[in-house]
Amino acid sequence: MEAVLEFEKPIAELESKIRELKRLSDGGGVNVVDEVVRLEGKLEQLLRQTYKDLNPWQKTQVARHQRRPHFGDYLEGLFTDYTPLAGDRGFGDDQAILGGLARFRGEAVLVMGHEKGRDTETRLKHNFGMARPEGYRKAVRLMELADRFRLPLITLVDTAGAYPGVGAEERGQAEAIARSTEACLNLGVPLIACIVGEGGSGGAVALAAGNRVLMFEHAIYSVISPEGCASILWRSPDFAEVAATALKLTAQDLKRLKVIDDIVAEPLGGAHRDPAKAIDRLGTAIAGALDSLSGKSPETLRDERRRKFLAMGTAGVA
Amino acid sequence: MNWLKKGRAKLSTIFRRERPTSEEVKWDTCVNCGQMIYHKEMVAAQYVCPHCGHHHKMPPKERFAALFDGASYDAIGVPKQADDPLKFRDKKKYVDRIKASRVETGEQDAVTVAEGKIGGIPAVVAIQSFAFMGGSLGIAAGDAFVAGALRAVNEKSAFVMITSSGGARMQEGILSLMQMPRTTVAVQMLREARLPYIVVLTDPTTGGVTASYAMLGDVQISEPGALIGFAGPRVIESTVREQLPKGFQRAEYLLEHGMIDMIVHRHDLAAKLGGLLNLLMGGRRDDRPAQLALPSPAKGKRAAAN
Ligand SMILES: [Zn+2]
């Protein structure tokens, strides 16, 4: 069921060869240590070469990789005392956006993010990380709670976008997203937004208007998916690769455009190859971002965040 | 014709006509009922079909003239930025698309801003025009929105936003997406200055525009029949693979679902806005922050003794 990305096929072949050799040597008898060492060296070189300059379309696939760490993995790796909170108090509890109270390196915080799910069952449960209005309304409720109790807010963004459905429209999807973005911009506590996988359009911004926006090296953040853009502007989804390049959706592009603040380096071969290391690196980046904001008054935090977003698109574009 | 003298906007630009002779004899066809309507009659009716009442798209300058008292208003300039920050090209170059839209519409970009009075209340009005690249929200439109909101804050005017847009402008990529939080900050400035922010949704308003400033009004008005939503109906249809309910995402449907305050016919819009602004700006303008006057809580023993 696990699909190997097209450009990773040579890597996967080498990995399976190494696994096979190791299995043989475990059986005893055959001494393959030298060969394994040689192949592992080759693998590292191949990974380095492949991942040095992934094109935007390849990054899109890495960002969506099924084995990439998800909200639950970050919770486990970086937070303690997680106490989930649920519901928008109006309609229901949206499982596409999860959140609650927790401790990050000892400090009480509020953590919130999209969860895509990993297999058929959990993907359906979390609606593939595509939130409905009640998800954004829960987000607003949690943000207001964080503000009231002066808890720093950490958001983990990973969504293809808000869900396009009849019920979602009926219950005011657009308004819910707008209010959630506005809630971000109202906070008197630090908001560290982390684009960990896919930052898809308005459904991502709604949790991402932060004092600091961190983004993984191979994550993407875009106004529309490459496929969607290709269908509209090129009138064919076959142009997704071209659209991905044109949209400038990589972390490197976004840093240059001053839309994000910092890029978090991924382990060699992407976060999906070594989730623990990726999670650890994100933790370090979050801690650094929180440190850089410590001691600032609620007014300053709000003011700086608003100034930053008021300048979006007018600075650093050249 | 009192407004002729008072009108500060140049009449020649309000009634710009490329070919006056052909314009005189031009006929329009109602997109709803298919009736032929003499173009002059259509203009006089503010592009509302006299037969079926369908609200057609209306050029911004004619809207300004129809909304402001005495058709008198001043344009608000918007600082100009370099076009095409991403050097975007699809089948066509983005710069060429912008140029073509500028020629076609006579506007610089999708949002134009002006100030004047509505019902005697000073107001800034921003109009988003679908004719300019589908009214898409890019940096220039964001600039115009912010400029309008700032002007309103500085002049203590109300801000009226008339929307029409397919959403964010894809050709500006992430920078167009960032106009959503950017314009939201401008809305917050109006809120904090306690100035009315009124949104008038016109056909169609979808995508990132609906998911930001177009749904954050103090009062949400829509023109009859306008399509309003986050996702476009075709996207939804292909996702849910079923027929959409009748009237789905139309103004009347939104009113029924509690998403807007009212539907106002275009001919009544100026009067309705004037009435609303007079009520909203007519309260006691007390700038002191609201404070609850509660007695300080009684301390331990005494409270117990009582
Ligand atoms: Zn008609």
Side-chain angles (χ1 to χ4, degrees):
Chain A
M1 123 165 222
E2 179 93 5
V4 174
L5 303 178
E6 188 61 36
F7 72 91
E8 282 197 314
K9 274 189 179 147
I11 296 168
E13 276 166 28
L14 206 49
E15 281 174 332
S16 92
K17 205 185 271 180
I18 293 169
R19 265 198 307 274
E20 180 67 9
L21 275 173
K22 281 182 170 167
R23 197 181 58 82
L24 283 173
S25 73
D26 282 351
V30 202
N31 188 346
V32 289
V33 173
D34 288 352
E35 182 60 2
V36 167
V37 168
R38 193 185 69 82
L39 286 181
E40 280 178 341
K42 203 174 151 193
L43 175 65
E44 189 180 324
Q45 201 185 3
L46 186 59
L47 278 172
R48 214 171 280 287
Q49 216 169 28
T50 309
Y51 270 81
K52 195 175 56 175
D53 34 35
L54 290 182
N55 69 38
W57 180 237
Q58 290 168 331
K59 278 181 189 273
T60 303
Q61 295 163 62
V62 173
R64 294 171 180 167
H65 200 286
Q66 178 178 0
R67 273 188 292 150
R68 212 174 159 81
H70 283 182
F71 184 77
D73 305 309
Y74 293 107
L75 267 187
E76 203 168 299
L78 297 175
F79 299 87
T80 55
D81 295 353
Y82 178 59
T83 310
L85 299 171
D88 70 341
R89 302 295 184 266
F91 182 79
D93 183 44
D94 191 328
Q95 290 286 311
I97 293 177
L98 303 177
L101 301 162
R103 284 186 189 280
F104 175 77
R105 308 203 165 179
E107 187 184 0
V109 298
L110 205 138
V111 57
M112 179 160 76
H114 302 95
E115 173 59 62
K116 285 182 170 180
R118 211 178 287 280
D119 48 31
T120 310
E121 193 190 333
T122 53
R123 278 178 178 163
L124 287 174
K125 178 184 174 197
H126 297 291
N127 199 32
F128 300 83
M130 298 166 88
R132 297 181 167 96
E134 40 282 10
Y136 298 104
R137 293 188 177 124
K138 172 165 73 177
V140 171
R141 189 171 74 80
L142 297 195
M143 285 193 253
E144 287 170 354
L145 186 104
D147 196 43
R148 199 152 56 242
F149 292 94
R150 294 277 174 258
L151 303 171
L153 176 64
I154 297 158
T155 59
L156 304 169
V157 176
D158 190 15
T159 181
Y163 185 68
V166 175
E169 293 290 322
E170 224 168 63
R171 299 192 295 277
Q173 183 72 297
E175 192 260 0
I177 293 169
R179 298 275 172 208
S180 184
T181 309
E182 191 186 4
C184 289
L185 292 160
N186 261 337
L187 289 169
V189 293
L191 168 51
I192 315 294
C194 312
I195 317 293
V196 292
E198 210 177 352
S201 193
V205 175
L207 301 189
N211 296 78
R212 297 283 184 275
V213 181
L214 312 178
M215 186 163 166
F216 262 132
E217 189 182 354
H218 305 308
I220 60 165
Y221 190 8
S222 181
V223 65
I224 186 169
S225 71
E227 294 92 332
C229 181
S231 297
I232 297 169
L233 291 181
W234 280 268
R235 306 201 177 281
S236 157
D238 300 342
F239 286 84
E241 188 164 350
V242 187
T245 306
L247 282 166
K248 304 269 194 298
L249 44 64
T250 71
Q252 295 70 31
D253 288 324
L254 269 63
K255 177 87 163 71
R256 191 176 54 79
L257 294 167
K258 296 195 161 77
V259 169
I260 60 160
D261 298 285
D262 281 304
I263 299 175
V264 182
E266 292 189 24
L268 183 60
H272 59 285
R273 207 160 254 103
D274 191 347
K277 192 180 265 180
I279 292 166
D280 185 59
R281 285 188 184 168
L282 185 69
T284 308
I286 292 171
L290 281 174
D291 272 353
S292 74
L293 297 169
S294 77
K296 293 196 178 190
S297 71
E299 293 71 29
T300 307
L301 288 166
R302 189 179 299 122
D303 195 56
E304 285 181 355
R305 194 186 308 110
R306 286 184 182 173
R307 279 175 200 281
K308 171 183 163 167
F309 282 93
L310 201 55
M312 279 291 169
T314 64
V317 179
Chain B
M1 295 294 272
N2 186 28
W3 65 273
L4 275 177
K5 262 190 283 170
K6 271 169 62 180
R8 280 169 288 181
K10 284 200 191 94
L11 282 175
S12 60
T13 56
I14 296 178
F15 298 114
R16 182 201 299 262
R17 284 176 181 177
E18 299 298 326
R19 293 173 301 273
T21 45
S22 63
E23 203 79 357
E24 295 297 331
V25 294
K26 210 173 114 186
W27 289 82
D28 294 331
T29 310
C30 173
V31 297
N32 186 51
C33 70
Q35 289 267 6
M36 302 278 285
I37 304 136
Y38 200 28
H39 182 66
K40 268 167 76 177
E41 201 188 327
M42 196 69 148
V43 174
Q46 298 182 27
Y47 299 82
V48 177
C49 173
H51 304 286
C52 71
H54 183 82
H55 286 50
H56 293 86
K57 294 177 179 69
M58 184 175 180
K61 280 175 179 138
E62 291 171 48
R63 259 193 197 278
F64 284 136
L67 285 180
F68 285 114
D69 296 353
S72 162
Y73 64 92
D74 287 314
I76 293 174
V78 179
K80 189 162 160 18
Q81 304 224 26
D83 296 325
D84 192 16
L86 305 186
K87 307 276 172 282
F88 195 100
R89 102 171 272 168
D90 45 82
K91 286 180 148 176
K92 272 191 204 165
K93 279 188 187 166
Y94 173 39
V95 278
D96 292 339
R97 286 189 195 266
I98 301 181
K99 268 185 215 148
S101 268
R102 282 184 185 151
V103 170
E104 196 184 314
T105 62
E107 307 292 344
Q108 269 305 295
D109 209 280
V111 177
T112 17
V113 199
E115 64 185 332
K117 284 185 175 176
I118 301 177
I121 304 282
V124 173
V125 177
I127 298 176
Q128 196 159 15
S129 167
F130 199 79
F132 198 105
M133 292 189 72
S136 54
L137 171 64
I139 298 167
D143 283 341
F145 186 93
V146 170
L150 284 178
R151 180 75 184 177
V153 169
N154 287 335
E155 299 296 315
K156 296 189 165 51
S157 302
F159 188 53
V160 178
M161 177 72 214
I162 301 180
T163 66
S164 178
S165 175
R169 189 172 293 173
M170 281 173 286
Q171 293 90 343
E172 292 183 16
I174 192 76
L175 297 173
S176 70
L177 188 68
M178 288 301 119
Q179 301 312 303
M180 293 169 65
R182 183 180 181 217
T183 52
T184 302
V185 174
V187 172
Q188 290 177 316
M189 292 163 79
L190 292 162
R191 294 210 204 289
E192 272 160 32
R194 299 186 196 208
L195 294 165
Y197 170 49
I198 298 184
V199 176
V200 181
L201 301 153
T202 77
D203 185 61
T205 302
T206 58
V209 169
T210 330
S212 57
Y213 58 83
M215 277 291 161
L216 293 174
D218 294 308
V219 179
Q220 294 281 134
I221 298 175
S222 177
E223 287 194 340
L227 180 86
I228 305 153
F230 175 63
R234 261 170 303 169
V235 174
I236 297 170
E237 218 157 21
S238 71
T239 310
V240 301
R241 296 178 194 285
E242 59 183 278
Q243 232 193 334
L244 301 175
K246 196 165 174 287
F248 182 61
Q249 294 183 317
R250 296 289 165 183
E252 296 71 17
Y253 180 92
L254 267 83
L255 184 67
E256 197 181 308
H257 286 89
M259 294 302 146
I260 56 175
D261 293 286
M262 61 189 87
I263 295 170
V264 178
H265 191 287
R266 193 175 287 166
H267 293 170
D268 305 326
L269 187 58
K272 179 59 79 177
L273 285 172
L276 276 169
L277 294 183
N278 271 284
L279 288 168
L280 288 167
M281 304 283 266
R284 281 176 53 230
R285 305 300 290 176
D286 187 346
D287 286 336
R288 278 174 306 173
Q291 272 183 353
L292 285 175
L294 287 177
S296 49
K299 296 246 163 69
K301 259 188 187 162
R302 264 182 53 201
N306 293 341

